[in-house]
Amino acid sequence: MENQTAKVVIYTKDPCPYCVRAINFFNEYGVKFEEIDLSDKPEEIDRIKNETGWRTVPIIMINGKLIGGYSDMKALHDEGKFEPLLKS
């Protein structure tokens, strides 16, 4: 995905098959992202869950806005709504 201006952050834990799928998706489509591994960081997990209201990983944020997990991101992509988020 060319011309990406948005900041993409993914919060992950290990093991997490959906985290791996999201990372593979980003890599396949050339999406630049920052991964924040929450493994062994229960306080950080609690903080991000309280901040976003999201209870599972991955937690995917674009420009500080929660877009959800892997399935949510994939649905946005399939509907043609993901790439425009990367250019905002």
Side-chain angles (χ1 to χ4, degrees):
M1 304 209 173
E2 296 183 27
N3 303 323
Q4 176 182 340
T5 56
K7 179 175 179 174
V8 178
V9 176
I10 178 171
Y11 293 89
T12 63
K13 282 194 325 185
D14 186 38
C16 170
Y18 284 98
C19 299
V20 171
R21 288 181 191 169
I23 290 168
N24 288 342
F25 174 91
F26 290 154
N27 288 331
E28 179 180 340
Y29 287 97
V31 176
K32 296 180 189 98
F33 65 96
E34 174 186 358
E35 178 182 2
I36 299 174
D37 187 349
L38 299 176
S39 301
D40 303 319
K41 297 179 184 169
E43 305 83 17
E44 188 67 8
I45 291 169
D46 289 342
R47 184 192 66 76
I48 195 68
K49 285 181 177 179
N50 288 333
E51 193 176 289
T52 64
W54 204 253
R55 297 282 169 234
T56 59
V57 288
I59 298 170
I60 301 169
M61 315 265 308
I62 297 179
N63 287 336
K65 180 182 174 215
L66 174 71
I67 65 159
Y70 171 76
S71 300
D72 305 283
M73 177 191 64
K74 185 76 171 84
L76 286 171
H77 176 263
D78 292 347
E79 295 167 9
K81 297 177 181 174
F82 181 71
E83 192 167 348
L85 293 175
L86 297 177
K87 296 179 180 179
S88 57

